[in-house]
Amino acid sequence: MGTKPRYIYFDILSIVASLAVIFLHCNGIVHWGPATPHWSQALAVEVAFYWAVPIFFMCSGAKTLAYRDRKDTKAFLVSRMKGIFVPFVAWCIIQYLVRTSGLLNPVPEGWTPSLGHFFNVFMNGQIDGTYWFFFSMLGVTLSMPVLSRLKDHADTMWYLVGAYVLLSGTIAPLFKVLGLPWNGGIAISVAGGYIMYTVLGYLLSQDTKIFAVRGRRLALYGLGALGLAVRYGYTWISSQQAGVLDNALFDYNYLTAILPSVAVFIFFKQVDWDGLLARIHVSAKLVKQVAGLTFGVYLMHYFVLNEIFISHLGMDMTSYAVRLGLPWVIFALCLACSYALNRIPFVRGIVGGWR
């Protein structure tokens, strides 16, 4: 069996998407509603970086859907569990112990440490609000042995993606904002749970025709910008009228998220990163090393933000400076911690890494 090819744009996307996720979580005041100070600017950040999570699933599909060319299914699943899900569970345990000890902040109301309580808050995603991602990624991983059989059937995969985007990504949200009834059962069920993004990422990574034409890429970028504008415009106007946040378009599987995500993926794919990095004297090896640390950044960033900067230090998250400057600080801190943990034998396993 062969080895997995490594493309530098995957590394760049991992770095940029990890930073984008931190920007999203530092701008959580967008969920407080239009009466919140600086809400319009927070909404702009929310819309501008919403593609980050879809990009993770797209890169995962691009890198792993063809795993059968390199390893058997047992080896693939073991690798995923060791590299992603073992660190996820380990950090859930670490965060649970810190939060129930009262080390940094008062113990959450109603939290009585026990194995049963841990299992309850773990399964309900209450230990870390951002860890829903790993449950979704687990679903995608367990689906990969089936999806991988479609690798040589691009037409089938394009049908799966296209039909899902039409029904769940376009018609469903359109009917929603128009106040019309739509039965959610009318969908491509096998493409749910971020499967669509996973398959789409693989298709786009293999594409040498559709977006090889500059005019098509420009059209895609225009549609991506339109998706951002529609989501911002609708949310701003509707929320101002209602006096509370209208989150009708806060869904990763809607066209307003799909178009920007595809545009970002294609943009990073077509850039001559080798030439660019050479001109700015940055080695591809360094980029690879930083990208390998971003999984640890994702695992730690919300804990650092919520438990330290917000709850312990009491930072004002409505401040422009905090919301736009703090993400860089958290990214750097978590990157340094991830690097340090990776240097310690028998500990580096809890940091894991994207596969």
Side-chain angles (χ1 to χ4, degrees):
M1 294 186 177
T3 57
K4 179 171 63 176
R6 190 174 189 101
Y7 299 102
I8 194 168
Y9 75 92
F10 290 154
D11 294 331
I12 302 290
L13 278 171
S14 293
I15 295 169
V16 175
S18 296
L19 180 59
V21 163
I22 301 176
F23 267 96
L24 288 175
H25 295 146
C26 285
N27 277 269
I29 66 168
V30 69
H31 299 284
W32 298 0
T36 307
H38 313 310
W39 179 79
S40 296
Q41 184 273 337
L43 178 60
V45 173
E46 161 75 18
V47 170
F49 293 115
Y50 202 62
W51 48 264
V53 169
I55 285 293
F56 286 133
F57 287 101
M58 293 171 76
C59 286
S60 178
K63 292 186 284 188
T64 64
L65 197 139
Y67 78 83
R68 291 180 187 274
D69 294 341
R70 305 179 299 275
K71 61 184 73 175
D72 60 28
T73 295
K74 179 181 178 181
F76 167 75
L77 292 176
V78 169
S79 174
R80 295 290 282 183
M81 292 301 168
K82 289 173 61 178
I84 294 181
F85 300 109
V86 169
F88 158 53
V89 174
W91 277 97
C92 283
I93 295 172
I94 291 170
Q95 289 207 43
Y96 183 78
L97 292 176
V98 171
R99 296 186 69 183
T100 54
S101 70
L103 182 64
L104 294 173
N105 300 294
V107 178
E109 185 177 354
W111 280 42
T112 303
S114 70
L115 185 60
H117 180 258
F118 169 79
F119 186 73
N120 182 57
V121 293
F122 171 78
M123 280 298 179
N124 286 291
Q126 295 174 307
I127 295 177
D128 186 313
T130 68
Y131 282 4
W132 66 266
F133 170 84
F134 294 103
F135 292 103
S136 296
M137 185 61 77
L138 177 60
V140 168
T141 297
L142 295 177
S143 302
M144 199 60 75
V146 177
L147 296 176
S148 62
R149 294 295 187 184
L150 297 175
K151 180 179 77 72
D152 298 320
H153 301 279
D155 54 344
T156 301
M157 289 193 286
W158 276 118
Y159 170 79
L160 184 150
V161 170
Y164 185 89
V165 170
L166 175 64
L167 295 174
S168 299
T170 305
I171 297 178
L174 180 61
F175 275 47
K176 186 177 183 179
V177 299
L178 293 177
L180 299 174
W182 176 259
N183 191 308
I186 308 173
I188 307 299
S189 301
V190 294
Y194 300 96
I195 293 294
M196 182 276 294
Y197 277 117
T198 304
V199 173
L200 181 57
Y202 176 77
L203 289 170
L204 293 177
S205 70
Q206 299 298 306
D207 173 54
T208 58
K209 295 181 180 179
I210 300 175
F211 294 114
V213 180
R214 183 173 182 271
R216 291 176 183 172
R217 292 199 303 271
L218 293 177
L220 173 63
Y221 301 153
L223 289 173
L226 178 62
L228 298 178
V230 168
R231 182 169 178 242
Y232 184 91
Y234 172 83
T235 303
W236 193 92
I237 294 172
S238 182
S239 298
Q240 293 290 349
Q241 291 174 343
V244 295
L245 174 67
D246 183 338
N247 63 358
L249 296 182
F250 281 56
D251 193 309
Y252 288 118
N253 290 312
Y254 287 174
L255 199 62
T256 46
I258 296 171
L259 287 173
S261 300
V262 174
V264 169
F265 188 94
I266 291 298
F267 174 79
F268 277 80
K269 179 186 175 185
Q270 64 85 34
V271 171
D272 176 17
W273 291 108
D274 290 324
L276 178 59
L277 293 175
R279 288 194 294 273
I280 61 176
H281 305 291
V282 174
S283 70
K285 181 180 179 181
L286 176 62
V287 172
K288 176 182 176 181
Q289 290 174 333
V290 173
L293 299 173
T294 57
F295 186 77
V297 171
Y298 191 98
L299 283 167
M300 290 181 268
H301 82 277
Y302 194 70
F303 173 79
V304 173
L305 168 64
N306 192 53
E307 292 298 313
I308 298 177
F309 285 104
I310 296 179
S311 300
H312 189 68
L313 298 179
M315 284 198 149
D316 178 14
M317 298 310 294
T318 64
S319 164
Y320 276 114
V322 170
R323 286 182 296 107
L324 297 181
L326 188 58
W328 300 94
V329 175
I330 292 176
F331 183 80
L333 285 175
C334 292
L335 196 68
C337 288
S338 183
Y339 175 79
L341 291 173
N342 267 287
R343 307 292 290 180
I344 304 174
F346 308 111
V347 174
R348 62 172 61 96
I350 69 171
V351 180
W354 303 115
R355 298 288 190 274

